[in-house]
Amino acid sequence: MRGIALLRQDFICIASTLQVRHATAVSQQDVKSAFSYCVEQVRTYDYDNYVWLLQLKQELRAALFAIRCFNVETGLVGETVKETGLLPIRMQWWKDAVNSVYRDKPVKHPVIQALAQVQAIHPLTRYRLQRLISTREEDLVGMHRMGSIAALEKYAEGTSSQLLYLQAEAAEIKDSELDHATSHLGKAVGISQLLRGTVYHAQRRRVYLPTDLMIREGVTEDQLTRGEPSPELNNVIYEVASTAKAHLDEARAMQQKVPKEAKALMLPSVACGLYLDALQNNAFDVFSQNMLKGAYSPFWHQLQVKRHYLLGTY
């Protein structure tokens, strides 16, 4: 509840600012309702990011919740739309909705309404929002097939990295070193999230492991969907996790070059690192009980987020 209490002040602050800087009449209640929805969605569907977002300064928290909720909502399309033929239609709706923000006529959806308020204060690059949608659409239409590790990296760059770029824009931080670190961190986070969802996706007959590695190791999709662990599957997981870890290490190696005020925006690295460490400690077996139970303690995650935030590291 502490998070919600903190954010109530954010809503009031944003609404007051918008009344000065946004030509369209927007009531404080409308703004509060839109951002409240964003916070609840992130807390429900993306708790790891909810945790670190609460550490940010008041003037930035609500904006990043709107951006993160946009990611949640577009990510849920594949879960909520059951007919494959309707997926492109729904994704096109999101593309049109983003365009409505830049025409100053945002559609009546809480996430789009919140993004419109953020855009009025902190201009966001339309291309990044649209690329995230397009990347998800290509994944859904392509039936969740990743041919290689390079395909995983491309997907992660089109989703997680774009979110990190948007966060920097909302914070009004422009820095080439930050962009470089962000690209690596986005790939690390995106790939680790796909690994984390391996069992969940397999239960729904979706596979995000590289096809070429599965063929090399003799792992079949049926094995995954049946939930059958094997040393060969662990080898595939190891290869993918090693790629994510290399990107994470590269992003962290650049800490001294990243602007001090941007380091808090890189805190998604904490959950990423904890998950990859847990994988290694469990012999890269995604079906082990420790991994199925969540890989790491939520409380430990919170402590590590707080520690890195206070030290100015990630």
Side-chain angles (χ1 to χ4, degrees), residues 67 127-129 131-132 135 156-167 182 186:
I67 293 169
Y127 164 78
R128 300 201 184 284
L129 296 167
R131 182 175 175 185
L132 193 151
T135 301
E157 176 69 24
T159 53
S160 296
S161 293
Q162 298 308 308
L163 288 171
L164 294 174
Y165 293 136
L166 287 165
Q167 289 178 180
T182 290

Side-chain angles (χ1 to χ4, degrees), residues 130-190:
Q130 295 287 15
R131 182 175 175 185
L132 193 151
I133 298 171
S134 296
T135 301
R136 292 202 183 282
E137 182 178 12
E138 290 171 7
D139 168 46
L140 294 173
V141 173
M143 300 301 291
H144 318 285
R145 294 295 187 271
M146 297 291 172
S148 63
I149 284 181
L152 285 177
E153 292 176 313
K154 180 181 177 182
Y155 177 86
E157 176 69 24
T159 53
S160 296
S161 293
Q162 298 308 308
L163 288 171
L164 294 174
Y165 293 136
L166 287 165
Q167 289 178 180
E169 289 183 351
E172 299 182 358
I173 302 173
K174 295 181 179 181
D175 183 83
S176 60
E177 297 292 351
L178 174 61
D179 288 345
H180 189 188
T182 290
S183 179
H184 282 294
L185 180 58
K187 291 185 179 75
V189 169

Side-chain angles (χ1 to χ4, degrees), residues 3-14:
I4 299 299
L6 285 171
L7 286 156
R8 285 194 185 116
Q9 295 303 315
D10 298 1
F11 304 144
I12 294 172
C13 176
I14 286 180

Side-chain angles (χ1 to χ4, degrees), residues 247-299:
H247 283 297
L248 178 62
D249 290 346
E250 187 66 29
R252 284 177 162 168
M254 300 181 67
Q255 289 195 64
Q256 299 304 316
K257 298 179 181 179
V258 169
K260 180 179 179 181
E261 63 272 20
K263 291 182 179 180
L265 303 179
M266 307 290 275
L267 287 174
S269 63
V270 179
C272 177
L274 290 176
Y275 180 77
L276 294 175
D277 287 346
L279 260 183
Q280 182 175 7
N281 293 336
N282 287 274
F284 301 97
D285 180 5
V286 292
F287 289 105
S288 72
Q289 286 303 305
N290 286 337
M291 299 308 293
L292 292 175
K293 290 178 181 178
Y296 52 83
S297 161
F299 180 64

Side-chain angles (χ1 to χ4, degrees), residues 17 28 37 80 127 132 143 153 206 222 241 296:
T17 304
Q28 287 194 7
Y37 176 86
T80 57
Y127 164 78
L132 193 151
M143 300 301 291
E153 292 176 313
R206 302 176 188 170
D222 285 342
Y296 52 83

Side-chain angles (χ1 to χ4, degrees), residues 191-209 224-225 233 237 240 275 279 286-287 292:
I191 293 172
S192 67
Q193 286 176 339
L194 290 177
L195 281 174
R196 193 170 184 172
T198 298
V199 175
Y200 174 85
H201 291 136
Q203 291 170 345
R204 289 153 181 80
R205 305 197 66 82
R206 302 176 188 170
V207 177
Y208 284 95
L209 297 178
L224 268 176
T225 56
L233 174 59
I237 298 295
V240 178
Y275 180 77
L279 260 183
V286 292
F287 289 105
L292 292 175

